[in-house]
Amino acid sequence: MNLKLFSANILKWLFIQTNSRVNKEKNFSGDINVSNIKENISIIRDNWNIPHMSSKNKNDLFFAQGFVHAQDRLWQLEMSRRIAMGNLSEAFGEIALPTDRLTRTLGFNRLAYQDINLINSENLSFLQSFSDGINFYIENYPKPVEFFLTRIKPKKWEPIHSVAWGRVMSWTLSHGWSGALTRQQIIDKVGIDLAEELNIIYPEKNPIELPNGFEFNKLSLDGMYESITGPFLYKDMEGGGRGSNAWAVSAKKSISGAPILCNDTHLPIQIPSVWYINHLKSKNYHTIGATMPGLPGIIIGHNEKISIGITLSFLDNEDIFIEKISDKNDNKYIYNNEEIDFKIIEETIKIKNKKDHIEKIRITKHGPLIGGVTDHGKINISLCSQALQTNQMINGLFKLNHAQNWDEFVEACNILDSPPLNFVYADIYNNIGLWVTGKMPIRKNGEGQLPVPGWTDKFEWTDNIPPKNMPHLLNPKSGYIISCNNKITNKDYPYFLSHSFMNGYRAKRIEDVIKSKNIITFNDCKNLHTDFYSIPGTLILNGLLKNFKSAKPKVEKVLNAIIDWDGYLDSESIGGTVYQVFSYTLIRNIVEPKLG
């Protein structure tokens, strides 16, 4: 059989099948009879296919939202559900087993069942209505072509799946543990002095926290660990590629005489998008903005009184503990010279065309064991993370959606236990503000920058920063608020937050532009959203390259291109291209000889 012809025929057949299914599936006009709603629902799609939903009661409204999520993103919902509940291998076979092992070990499925007991009855009814909308679509409409290709049948959506998926997203937006492992690996490779010289331990000198010269080398984390950055979870370690910009301008600096709030979230670009834009209107509830498929309401956007944007705060709310397993019994670990029983959970993972895998999960007082460490016998590491504690994220998000003023906004923020985010705020009363959410641990010793001994109580978490003491800001004298993953507080703040903040150049660029103008227009904000000016690039240009000369014509031509560069990294910039190649090569030449 001719391979090219076969492939072409398959593509032609898929095109025909996909279009016929889409035409049947995308029933965007007409009436639909639904037995389990109380009143009429209206769904109007605009020119960008964004759904605008309205109903007289909120339960019917969330039914409509579940319906359109399924109509537009059913395959994404199916994948999210399988990731959250650890059921990927059942559909995809052994290739997905490492991811299922990880998610079962971290326990998103188990934690979701704890969390759902904390959701109040009204919000639980909203979740059920949202699930009913998804299921109505599943039961009555053709499925996207992905289901046909994979021979997967979508399962019934339940409220627990929304809660579990929220858990996954909360963990992927939390930080701290992978940085600790990376810092230790670098110290093991080059020593503490060179590690400090590279600012691996930032920003001040921080001695190794491991007592008695104990070190561990050659981290040996199996495929379960590698799956974190794989095709299913795609978590960027320590926020690589993730971040966000947000700024709020007060009424006195705004051309409209009312506050302006801007936000662009830097989550990884993917198809379909991680975000879903929708508009919801009912009695005493009217919001528009973006949520994540599988989560009701909105996460960023506005209602009739307040608007909210989010950025990652990069708080360090995760630690790695080195655990000692008993020499006598693998089901016990050492803590303060005593042998303590692991909490042992066995998870059965079904694998397509293979026998079931039994994952034996061992959990210490710090958290689950997540991987082995070689060379030191019975040593293992556990993950202690606020994202793996019980939380009220669903209650918090619904409360945030309903908030009508600053006080109600703060109440919502204070029950958003995870993930740690900067919520930037503006309202119709001319207030602008910021509140940092998420539980932040207070450590007995150290700052979690390196893995620490778990066999002693020396490095325990003793408490959390009280919600009222989390960093916040309301109507600053400057007339603006900027949040770009930059450092949140100065040295006077009494609690440790993190050493993992971004470098602050994005924030400085926005501040420079705002400070240069007496009044900020909408066009100013639009231009900032698409601004390519590189402050680090201009620093390297002026501090290192400005006076370079070369006798080689080709080198001189390249030097002239960067010396004449205006600092903008747009797609047409030759000087910007030279800068990017130069900075990458420079950094690599500095660190690679030692780090490999």
Side-chain angles (χ1 to χ4, degrees):
M1 183 177 290
N2 185 292
L3 182 60
K4 290 185 178 180
L5 180 61
F6 175 76
S7 299
N9 286 338
I10 285 289
L11 288 172
K12 181 179 179 181
W13 178 82
L14 281 178
F15 179 80
I16 293 170
Q17 291 293 318
T18 302
N19 279 285
S20 64
R21 285 169 175 269
V22 166
N23 290 335
K24 291 177 185 176
E25 176 190 340
K26 299 300 183 184
N27 182 15
F28 288 158
S29 62
D31 296 331
I32 303 172
N33 293 319
V34 183
S35 60
N36 53 341
I37 61 173
K38 296 178 181 178
E39 299 176 80
N40 289 337
I41 300 170
S42 170
I43 303 175
I44 299 172
R45 300 268 183 168
D46 62 22
N47 292 337
W48 296 275
N49 209 28
I50 293 170
H52 301 258
M53 294 157 279
S54 61
S55 177
K56 290 183 179 179
N57 70 81
K58 284 183 276 192
N59 284 91
D60 287 352
L61 183 67
F62 289 119
F63 178 96
Q65 189 182 22
F67 178 84
V68 297
H69 278 210
Q71 191 176 36
D72 292 343
R73 305 286 187 90
L74 185 58
W75 176 252
Q76 187 177 16
L77 288 172
E78 178 69 14
M79 291 297 293
S80 299
R81 182 186 63 78
R82 288 184 177 275
I83 290 169
M85 303 305 288
N87 294 325
L88 286 164
S89 303
E90 188 178 17
F92 298 100
E94 285 187 306
I95 189 175
L97 181 60
T99 303
D100 283 344
R101 291 181 56 221
L102 175 71
T103 56
R104 298 286 187 102
T105 297
L106 297 180
F108 302 131
N109 55 339
R110 302 186 299 274
L111 290 164
Y113 283 104
Q114 296 177 26
D115 294 345
I116 207 163
N117 293 324
L118 301 177
I119 300 174
N120 66 49
S121 58
E122 182 182 48
N123 292 340
L124 199 56
S125 75
F126 294 157
L127 276 178
Q128 186 60 59
S129 296
F130 179 80
S131 300
D132 290 343
I134 295 174
N135 294 328
F136 178 81
Y137 185 87
I138 291 173
E139 293 162 6
N140 292 280
Y141 289 88
K143 312 306 179 286
V145 70
E146 292 94 338
F147 289 96
F148 180 81
L149 293 173
T150 58
R151 299 293 191 267
I152 293 172
K153 292 183 178 180
K155 292 188 178 180
K156 183 179 178 181
W157 189 273
E158 299 175 15
I160 197 71
H161 300 144
S162 294
V163 179
W165 181 239
R167 272 288 185 178
V168 174
M169 296 312 299
S170 175
W171 178 72
T172 60
L173 298 176
S174 297
H175 298 280
W177 73 291
S178 61
L181 292 177
T182 302
R183 291 183 192 96
Q184 184 63 55
Q185 285 178 308
I186 292 173
I187 290 171
D188 291 341
K189 180 77 174 178
V190 303
I192 186 68
D193 292 334
L194 272 181
E196 286 181 332
E197 191 174 306
L198 290 168
N199 283 330
I200 300 305
I201 302 176
Y202 170 83
E204 59 189 9
K205 196 168 185 178
N206 191 355
I208 295 179
E209 297 174 331
L210 304 184
N212 304 320
F214 179 90
E215 294 182 6
F216 66 93
N217 300 293
K218 298 180 184 177
L219 285 172
S220 177
L221 300 168
D222 63 17
M224 181 174 74
Y225 174 84
E226 299 298 330
S227 72
I228 294 169
T229 55
F232 299 107
L233 270 177
Y234 44 81
K235 174 174 179 174
D236 294 307
M237 307 311 279
E238 290 307 288
R242 298 174 187 246
S244 299
N245 297 328
W247 63 94
V249 178
S250 69
K252 68 181 181 181
K253 285 188 72 72
S254 164
I255 193 170
S256 67
I260 301 173
L261 189 150
C262 297
N263 185 207
D264 59 279
T265 54
H266 298 172
L267 296 185
I269 295 173
Q270 63 188 60
I271 298 177
S273 169
V274 68
W275 295 112
Y276 186 93
I277 300 175
N278 44 204
H279 178 192
L280 303 148
K281 185 176 182 181
S282 185
K283 184 179 180 181
N284 300 322
Y285 182 82
H286 188 190
T287 65
I288 186 168
T291 184
M292 295 177 177
L295 295 178
I298 66 164
I299 298 174
I300 54 177
H302 66 87
N303 58 31
E304 292 180 338
K305 299 294 177 66
I306 77 166
S307 59
I308 52 175
I310 60 173
T311 67
L312 287 181
S313 63
F314 283 89
L315 300 190
D316 189 341
N317 66 347
E318 297 181 315
D319 282 350
I320 290 291
F321 283 85
I322 307 165
E323 308 288 359
K324 280 185 179 179
I325 301 173
S326 167
D327 291 328
K328 302 174 184 176
N329 188 339
D330 285 346
N331 292 326
K332 293 179 181 289
Y333 65 100
I334 309 299
Y335 182 74
N336 281 347
N337 298 318
E338 294 184 9
E339 291 190 351
I340 298 178
D341 291 329
F342 283 109
K343 179 181 179 181
I344 296 176
I345 297 172
E346 290 191 349
E347 290 270 4
T348 301
I349 303 173
K350 294 187 177 301
I351 307 173
K352 183 180 179 180
N353 299 327
K354 298 282 185 179
K355 68 177 184 179
D356 294 351
H357 171 83
I358 306 299
E359 185 69 23
K360 183 179 178 180
I361 300 160
R362 294 182 292 176
I363 301 173
T364 73
K365 70 188 304 296
H366 303 119
L369 299 186
I370 62 167
V373 180
T374 63
D375 296 346
H376 286 280
K378 295 201 168 187
I379 296 293
N380 214 304
I381 57 176
S382 63
L383 171 61
C384 187
S385 172
Q386 290 286 15
L388 302 182
Q389 315 297 323
T390 55
N391 75 48
Q392 296 195 61
M393 185 177 72
I394 297 296
N395 283 336
L397 288 176
F398 275 122
K399 196 172 186 67
L400 199 63
N401 280 211
H402 286 86
Q404 300 293 294
N405 53 51
W406 170 258
D407 289 339
E408 292 179 7
F409 163 78
V410 171
E411 288 177 13
C413 288
N414 284 340
I415 61 172
L416 282 168
D417 302 327
S418 184
L421 298 170
N422 303 307
F423 273 85
V424 183
Y425 169 96
D427 64 28
I428 65 169
Y429 312 108
N430 292 340
N431 296 303
I432 60 172
L434 179 146
W435 200 281
V436 180
T437 65
K439 286 184 178 178
M440 180 62 196
I442 298 173
R443 296 168 171 90
K444 190 173 182 180
N445 284 291
E447 296 176 340
Q449 295 297 285
L450 296 168
V452 293
W455 57 85
T456 169
D457 62 7
K458 184 178 179 181
F459 297 96
E460 293 299 322
W461 293 2
T462 58
D463 203 348
N464 296 315
I465 298 176
K468 67 179 181 179
N469 292 342
M470 289 296 286
H472 59 273
L473 186 63
L474 179 65
N475 296 326
K477 292 181 180 179
S478 64
Y480 59 85
I481 295 169
I482 299 170
S483 178
C484 299
N485 321 119
N486 46 309
K487 192 173 182 179
I488 297 172
T489 59
N490 61 24
K491 62 182 180 180
D492 296 328
Y493 184 69
Y495 303 100
F496 170 74
L497 295 177
S498 180
H499 288 313
S500 299
F501 302 114
M502 297 291 99
N503 57 34
Y505 288 122
R506 282 181 282 126
K508 187 174 190 320
R509 174 60 176 164
I510 294 169
E511 184 177 59
D512 288 346
V513 171
I514 291 176
K515 277 186 171 182
S516 70
K517 300 174 182 290
N518 293 324
I519 295 295
I520 301 299
T521 68
F522 297 120
N523 206 47
D524 292 330
C525 293
K526 177 183 175 182
N527 290 337
L528 272 173
H529 274 301
T530 55
D531 184 85
F532 295 108
Y533 188 74
S534 172
I535 294 177
T538 56
L539 289 174
I540 287 181
L541 171 61
N542 295 321
L544 185 62
L545 298 175
K546 204 71 173 178
N547 297 315
F548 269 22
K549 297 291 181 185
S550 175
K552 299 179 179 179
K554 289 184 178 180
V555 175
E556 188 69 12
K557 184 177 181 180
V558 172
L559 279 171
N560 288 338
I562 194 171
I563 289 170
D564 295 335
W565 176 46
D566 61 4
Y568 285 88
L569 289 170
D570 58 81
S571 60
E572 303 300 319
S573 174
I574 296 172
T577 303
V578 174
Y579 158 68
Q580 288 287 84
V581 173
F582 172 80
S583 61
Y584 170 82
T585 306
L586 176 67
I587 293 168
R588 184 165 183 166
N589 287 344
I590 290 172
V591 301
E592 191 172 47
K594 293 292 184 182
L595 292 181

